[in-house]
PDB file of all heavy atoms in Angstrom:
ATOM      1  N   SER A   1       4.426   8.857   5.547  1.00 47.00           N
ATOM      2  CA  SER A   1       4.526   7.472   5.293  1.00 47.00           C
ATOM      3  C   SER A   1       4.258   6.621   6.539  1.00 47.00           C
ATOM      4  O   SER A   1       4.458   7.148   7.659  1.00 47.00           O
ATOM      5  CB  SER A   1       5.917   7.116   4.698  1.00 47.00           C
ATOM      6  OG  SER A   1       6.889   7.365   5.753  1.00 47.00           O
ATOM      7  N   VAL A   2       3.796   5.457   6.387  1.00 46.00           N
ATOM      8  CA  VAL A   2       3.502   4.603   7.500  1.00 46.00           C
ATOM      9  C   VAL A   2       4.808   4.040   8.019  1.00 46.00           C
ATOM     10  O   VAL A   2       5.604   3.462   7.325  1.00 46.00           O
ATOM     11  CB  VAL A   2       2.597   3.448   7.093  1.00 46.00           C
ATOM     12  CG1 VAL A   2       2.317   2.543   8.277  1.00 46.00           C
ATOM     13  CG2 VAL A   2       1.279   3.995   6.581  1.00 46.00           C
ATOM     14  N   ASN A   3       5.095   4.286   9.321  1.00 43.00           N
ATOM     15  CA  ASN A   3       6.287   3.623   9.883  1.00 43.00           C
ATOM     16  C   ASN A   3       5.851   2.646  10.972  1.00 43.00           C
ATOM     17  O   ASN A   3       4.735   2.434  11.207  1.00 43.00           O
ATOM     18  CB  ASN A   3       7.171   4.766  10.442  1.00 43.00           C
ATOM     19  CG  ASN A   3       6.530   5.595  11.565  1.00 43.00           C
ATOM     20  OD1 ASN A   3       5.698   5.063  12.386  1.00 43.00           O
ATOM     21  ND2 ASN A   3       6.720   6.895  11.622  1.00 43.00           N
ATOM     22  N   GLN A   4       6.857   1.993  11.638  1.00 50.00           N
ATOM     23  CA  GLN A   4       6.545   0.958  12.593  1.00 50.00           C
ATOM     24  C   GLN A   4       5.796   1.457  13.726  1.00 50.00           C
ATOM     25  O   GLN A   4       5.078   0.675  14.369  1.00 50.00           O
ATOM     26  CB  GLN A   4       7.865   0.338  13.006  1.00 50.00           C
ATOM     27  CG  GLN A   4       8.581  -0.474  11.958  1.00 50.00           C
ATOM     28  CD  GLN A   4       7.865  -1.659  11.534  1.00 50.00           C
ATOM     29  OE1 GLN A   4       6.955  -1.558  10.743  1.00 50.00           O
ATOM     30  NE2 GLN A   4       8.165  -2.792  12.157  1.00 50.00           N
ATOM     31  N   LYS A   5       5.902   2.689  14.153  1.00 67.00           N
ATOM     32  CA  LYS A   5       5.233   3.207  15.363  1.00 67.00           C
ATOM     33  C   LYS A   5       3.836   3.725  15.086  1.00 67.00           C
ATOM     34  O   LYS A   5       3.061   3.984  16.023  1.00 67.00           O
ATOM     35  CB  LYS A   5       6.080   4.267  16.024  1.00 67.00           C
ATOM     36  CG  LYS A   5       7.459   3.797  16.485  1.00 67.00           C
ATOM     37  CD  LYS A   5       8.250   4.935  17.043  1.00 67.00           C
ATOM     38  CE  LYS A   5       9.617   4.457  17.391  1.00 67.00           C
ATOM     39  NZ  LYS A   5      10.396   5.475  17.918  1.00 67.00           N
ATOM     40  N   SER A   6       3.429   3.964  13.849  1.00 76.00           N
ATOM     41  CA  SER A   6       2.165   4.528  13.560  1.00 76.00           C
ATOM     42  C   SER A   6       1.019   3.563  13.896  1.00 76.00           C
ATOM     43  O   SER A   6       0.852   2.558  13.277  1.00 76.00           O
ATOM     44  CB  SER A   6       2.051   4.909  12.053  1.00 76.00           C
ATOM     45  OG  SER A   6       3.115   5.784  11.769  1.00 76.00           O
ATOM     46  N   THR A   7       0.208   4.002  14.810  1.00 88.00           N
ATOM     47  CA  THR A   7      -0.951   3.162  15.186  1.00 88.00           C
ATOM     48  C   THR A   7      -2.210   4.045  15.238  1.00 88.00           C
ATOM     49  O   THR A   7      -3.292   3.548  15.622  1.00 88.00           O
ATOM     50  CB  THR A   7      -0.777   2.481  16.580  1.00 88.00           C
ATOM     51  OG1 THR A   7      -0.493   3.475  17.537  1.00 88.00           O
ATOM     52  CG2 THR A   7       0.315   1.420  16.489  1.00 88.00           C
ATOM     53  N   ALA A   8      -2.099   5.306  14.845  1.00 92.00           N
ATOM     54  CA  ALA A   8      -3.232   6.189  14.892  1.00 92.00           C
ATOM     55  C   ALA A   8      -3.515   6.785  13.487  1.00 92.00           C
ATOM     56  O   ALA A   8      -2.636   7.067  12.749  1.00 92.00           O
ATOM     57  CB  ALA A   8      -3.054   7.291  15.888  1.00 92.00           C
ATOM     58  N   LEU A   9      -4.832   6.900  13.217  1.00 94.00           N
ATOM     59  CA  LEU A   9      -5.310   7.410  11.963  1.00 94.00           C
ATOM     60  C   LEU A   9      -6.147   8.614  12.114  1.00 94.00           C
ATOM     61  O   LEU A   9      -6.986   8.656  13.064  1.00 94.00           O
ATOM     62  CB  LEU A   9      -6.088   6.364  11.226  1.00 94.00           C
ATOM     63  CG  LEU A   9      -5.298   5.100  10.738  1.00 94.00           C
ATOM     64  CD1 LEU A   9      -6.291   4.030  10.373  1.00 94.00           C
ATOM     65  CD2 LEU A   9      -4.403   5.438   9.622  1.00 94.00           C
ATOM     66  N   PHE A  10      -6.086   9.563  11.205  1.00 94.00           N
ATOM     67  CA  PHE A  10      -6.962  10.731  11.240  1.00 94.00           C
ATOM     68  C   PHE A  10      -7.994  10.457  10.160  1.00 94.00           C
ATOM     69  O   PHE A  10      -7.648  10.085   9.043  1.00 94.00           O
ATOM     70  CB  PHE A  10      -6.215  12.006  10.865  1.00 94.00           C
ATOM     71  CG  PHE A  10      -7.119  13.200  10.688  1.00 94.00           C
ATOM     72  CD1 PHE A  10      -7.590  13.905  11.730  1.00 94.00           C
ATOM     73  CD2 PHE A  10      -7.526  13.535   9.405  1.00 94.00           C
ATOM     74  CE1 PHE A  10      -8.507  14.951  11.571  1.00 94.00           C
ATOM     75  CE2 PHE A  10      -8.400  14.601   9.206  1.00 94.00           C
ATOM     76  CZ  PHE A  10      -8.809  15.304  10.333  1.00 94.00           C
ATOM     77  N   ILE A  11      -9.226  10.576  10.528  1.00 95.00           N
ATOM     78  CA  ILE A  11     -10.347  10.346   9.602  1.00 95.00           C
ATOM     79  C   ILE A  11     -11.134  11.715   9.464  1.00 95.00           C
ATOM     80  O   ILE A  11     -11.555  12.241  10.395  1.00 95.00           O
ATOM     81  CB  ILE A  11     -11.347   9.308  10.069  1.00 95.00           C
ATOM     82  CG1 ILE A  11     -10.552   8.020  10.734  1.00 95.00           C
ATOM     83  CG2 ILE A  11     -12.359   8.917   9.031  1.00 95.00           C
ATOM     84  CD1 ILE A  11      -9.817   7.302   9.682  1.00 95.00           C
ATOM     85  N   GLY A  12     -11.204  12.181   8.215  1.00 95.00           N
ATOM     86  CA  GLY A  12     -11.787  13.458   7.982  1.00 95.00           C
ATOM     87  C   GLY A  12     -12.923  13.338   6.993  1.00 95.00           C
ATOM     88  O   GLY A  12     -13.078  12.374   6.212  1.00 95.00           O
ATOM     89  N   GLY A  13     -13.802  14.351   6.996  1.00 95.00           N
ATOM     90  CA  GLY A  13     -14.902  14.346   6.003  1.00 95.00           C
ATOM     91  C   GLY A  13     -16.047  13.450   6.422  1.00 95.00           C
ATOM     92  O   GLY A  13     -16.817  13.057   5.539  1.00 95.00           O
ATOM     93  N   LEU A  14     -16.269  13.189   7.649  1.00 96.00           N
ATOM     94  CA  LEU A  14     -17.350  12.399   8.168  1.00 96.00           C
ATOM     95  C   LEU A  14     -18.670  13.144   8.079  1.00 96.00           C
ATOM     96  O   LEU A  14     -18.652  14.322   8.070  1.00 96.00           O
ATOM     97  CB  LEU A  14     -17.059  11.930   9.636  1.00 96.00           C
ATOM     98  CG  LEU A  14     -15.820  11.096   9.837  1.00 96.00           C
ATOM     99  CD1 LEU A  14     -15.600  10.951  11.315  1.00 96.00           C
ATOM    100  CD2 LEU A  14     -15.953   9.687   9.199  1.00 96.00           C
ATOM    101  N   LEU A  15     -19.734  12.454   8.159  1.00 96.00           N
ATOM    102  CA  LEU A  15     -21.018  13.083   8.266  1.00 96.00           C
ATOM    103  C   LEU A  15     -21.221  13.395   9.727  1.00 96.00           C
ATOM    104  O   LEU A  15     -20.617  12.808  10.614  1.00 96.00           O
ATOM    105  CB  LEU A  15     -22.137  12.111   7.787  1.00 96.00           C
ATOM    106  CG  LEU A  15     -22.159  11.799   6.335  1.00 96.00           C
ATOM    107  CD1 LEU A  15     -23.331  10.750   6.037  1.00 96.00           C
ATOM    108  CD2 LEU A  15     -22.393  13.008   5.500  1.00 96.00           C
ATOM    109  N   GLU A  16     -22.075  14.353  10.012  1.00 94.00           N
ATOM    110  CA  GLU A  16     -22.276  14.801  11.424  1.00 94.00           C
ATOM    111  C   GLU A  16     -22.953  13.711  12.187  1.00 94.00           C
ATOM    112  O   GLU A  16     -22.857  13.658  13.403  1.00 94.00           O
ATOM    113  CB  GLU A  16     -23.160  16.068  11.421  1.00 94.00           C
ATOM    114  CG  GLU A  16     -23.044  16.782  12.687  1.00 94.00           C
ATOM    115  CD  GLU A  16     -23.817  18.165  12.652  1.00 94.00           C
ATOM    116  OE1 GLU A  16     -23.381  18.959  11.798  1.00 94.00           O
ATOM    117  OE2 GLU A  16     -24.633  18.349  13.492  1.00 94.00           O
ATOM    118  N   THR A  17     -23.589  12.731  11.537  1.00 95.00           N
ATOM    119  CA  THR A  17     -24.290  11.632  12.195  1.00 95.00           C
ATOM    120  C   THR A  17     -23.473  10.428  12.450  1.00 95.00           C
ATOM    121  O   THR A  17     -23.917   9.530  13.163  1.00 95.00           O
ATOM    122  CB  THR A  17     -25.538  11.217  11.348  1.00 95.00           C
ATOM    123  OG1 THR A  17     -25.028  10.830  10.035  1.00 95.00           O
ATOM    124  CG2 THR A  17     -26.585  12.288  11.218  1.00 95.00           C
ATOM    125  N   THR A  18     -22.177  10.408  12.024  1.00 96.00           N
ATOM    126  CA  THR A  18     -21.290   9.343  12.285  1.00 96.00           C
ATOM    127  C   THR A  18     -20.971   9.181  13.787  1.00 96.00           C
ATOM    128  O   THR A  18     -20.623  10.155  14.384  1.00 96.00           O
ATOM    129  CB  THR A  18     -20.039   9.487  11.441  1.00 96.00           C
ATOM    130  OG1 THR A  18     -20.293   9.659  10.090  1.00 96.00           O
ATOM    131  CG2 THR A  18     -19.147   8.284  11.659  1.00 96.00           C
ATOM    132  N   THR A  19     -21.102   7.978  14.288  1.00 95.00           N
ATOM    133  CA  THR A  19     -20.786   7.712  15.668  1.00 95.00           C
ATOM    134  C   THR A  19     -19.566   6.920  15.825  1.00 95.00           C
ATOM    135  O   THR A  19     -19.053   6.300  14.842  1.00 95.00           O
ATOM    136  CB  THR A  19     -21.953   6.826  16.344  1.00 95.00           C
ATOM    137  OG1 THR A  19     -21.937   5.529  15.662  1.00 95.00           O
ATOM    138  CG2 THR A  19     -23.303   7.552  16.185  1.00 95.00           C
ATOM    139  N   PRO A  20     -18.877   6.914  17.027  1.00 96.00           N
ATOM    140  CA  PRO A  20     -17.736   6.104  17.239  1.00 96.00           C
ATOM    141  C   PRO A  20     -17.970   4.603  16.943  1.00 96.00           C
ATOM    142  O   PRO A  20     -17.071   3.953  16.534  1.00 96.00           O
ATOM    143  CB  PRO A  20     -17.373   6.393  18.722  1.00 96.00           C
ATOM    144  CG  PRO A  20     -17.954   7.709  19.061  1.00 96.00           C
ATOM    145  CD  PRO A  20     -19.239   7.825  18.176  1.00 96.00           C
ATOM    146  N   GLU A  21     -19.090   4.151  17.316  1.00 96.00           N
ATOM    147  CA  GLU A  21     -19.463   2.719  17.066  1.00 96.00           C
ATOM    148  C   GLU A  21     -19.373   2.452  15.580  1.00 96.00           C
ATOM    149  O   GLU A  21     -18.886   1.332  15.157  1.00 96.00           O
ATOM    150  CB  GLU A  21     -20.835   2.426  17.641  1.00 96.00           C
ATOM    151  CG  GLU A  21     -20.933   2.455  19.141  1.00 96.00           C
ATOM    152  CD  GLU A  21     -20.989   3.891  19.719  1.00 96.00           C
ATOM    153  OE1 GLU A  21     -21.399   4.825  18.987  1.00 96.00           O
ATOM    154  OE2 GLU A  21     -20.627   4.027  20.923  1.00 96.00           O
ATOM    155  N   MET A  22     -19.900   3.360  14.742  1.00 97.00           N
ATOM    156  CA  MET A  22     -19.850   3.084  13.273  1.00 97.00           C
ATOM    157  C   MET A  22     -18.420   3.016  12.790  1.00 97.00           C
ATOM    158  O   MET A  22     -18.111   2.165  12.008  1.00 97.00           O
ATOM    159  CB  MET A  22     -20.588   4.210  12.581  1.00 97.00           C
ATOM    160  CG  MET A  22     -22.067   4.251  12.719  1.00 97.00           C
ATOM    161  SD  MET A  22     -22.657   5.713  11.825  1.00 97.00           S
ATOM    162  CE  MET A  22     -24.422   5.688  12.320  1.00 97.00           C
ATOM    163  N   LEU A  23     -17.553   3.953  13.334  1.00 97.00           N
ATOM    164  CA  LEU A  23     -16.146   3.897  12.888  1.00 97.00           C
ATOM    165  C   LEU A  23     -15.463   2.604  13.396  1.00 97.00           C
ATOM    166  O   LEU A  23     -14.700   1.984  12.617  1.00 97.00           O
ATOM    167  CB  LEU A  23     -15.438   5.092  13.462  1.00 97.00           C
ATOM    168  CG  LEU A  23     -15.881   6.436  12.833  1.00 97.00           C
ATOM    169  CD1 LEU A  23     -15.315   7.605  13.574  1.00 97.00           C
ATOM    170  CD2 LEU A  23     -15.593   6.504  11.447  1.00 97.00           C
ATOM    171  N   THR A  24     -15.738   2.199  14.619  1.00 97.00           N
ATOM    172  CA  THR A  24     -15.157   0.959  15.123  1.00 97.00           C
ATOM    173  C   THR A  24     -15.578  -0.190  14.297  1.00 97.00           C
ATOM    174  O   THR A  24     -14.711  -1.075  13.906  1.00 97.00           O
ATOM    175  CB  THR A  24     -15.543   0.745  16.624  1.00 97.00           C
ATOM    176  OG1 THR A  24     -15.107   1.891  17.386  1.00 97.00           O
ATOM    177  CG2 THR A  24     -14.981  -0.548  17.181  1.00 97.00           C
ATOM    178  N   ASN A  25     -16.852  -0.322  13.967  1.00 97.00           N
ATOM    179  CA  ASN A  25     -17.310  -1.450  13.203  1.00 97.00           C
ATOM    180  C   ASN A  25     -16.750  -1.472  11.779  1.00 97.00           C
ATOM    181  O   ASN A  25     -16.331  -2.485  11.224  1.00 97.00           O
ATOM    182  CB  ASN A  25     -18.861  -1.365  13.095  1.00 97.00           C
ATOM    183  CG  ASN A  25     -19.645  -1.692  14.320  1.00 97.00           C
ATOM    184  OD1 ASN A  25     -18.996  -2.296  15.172  1.00 97.00           O
ATOM    185  ND2 ASN A  25     -20.869  -1.259  14.434  1.00 97.00           N
ATOM    186  N   TYR A  26     -16.563  -0.254  11.208  1.00 97.00           N
ATOM    187  CA  TYR A  26     -15.996  -0.209   9.860  1.00 97.00           C
ATOM    188  C   TYR A  26     -14.595  -0.601   9.794  1.00 97.00           C
ATOM    189  O   TYR A  26     -14.082  -1.429   9.110  1.00 97.00           O
ATOM    190  CB  TYR A  26     -16.176   1.195   9.216  1.00 97.00           C
ATOM    191  CG  TYR A  26     -15.563   1.242   7.871  1.00 97.00           C
ATOM    192  CD1 TYR A  26     -16.196   0.751   6.738  1.00 97.00           C
ATOM    193  CD2 TYR A  26     -14.280   1.856   7.717  1.00 97.00           C
ATOM    194  CE1 TYR A  26     -15.561   0.857   5.499  1.00 97.00           C
ATOM    195  CE2 TYR A  26     -13.652   1.906   6.498  1.00 97.00           C
ATOM    196  CZ  TYR A  26     -14.291   1.439   5.335  1.00 97.00           C
ATOM    197  OH  TYR A  26     -13.715   1.424   4.073  1.00 97.00           O
TER     198      TYR A  26
END
């Protein structure tokens, strides 16, 4: 569950071509 301290997310199942900039923009 999301608690007050949670500020990080795990993102899985990305394409191999996904860049950090794409994730930041999204």
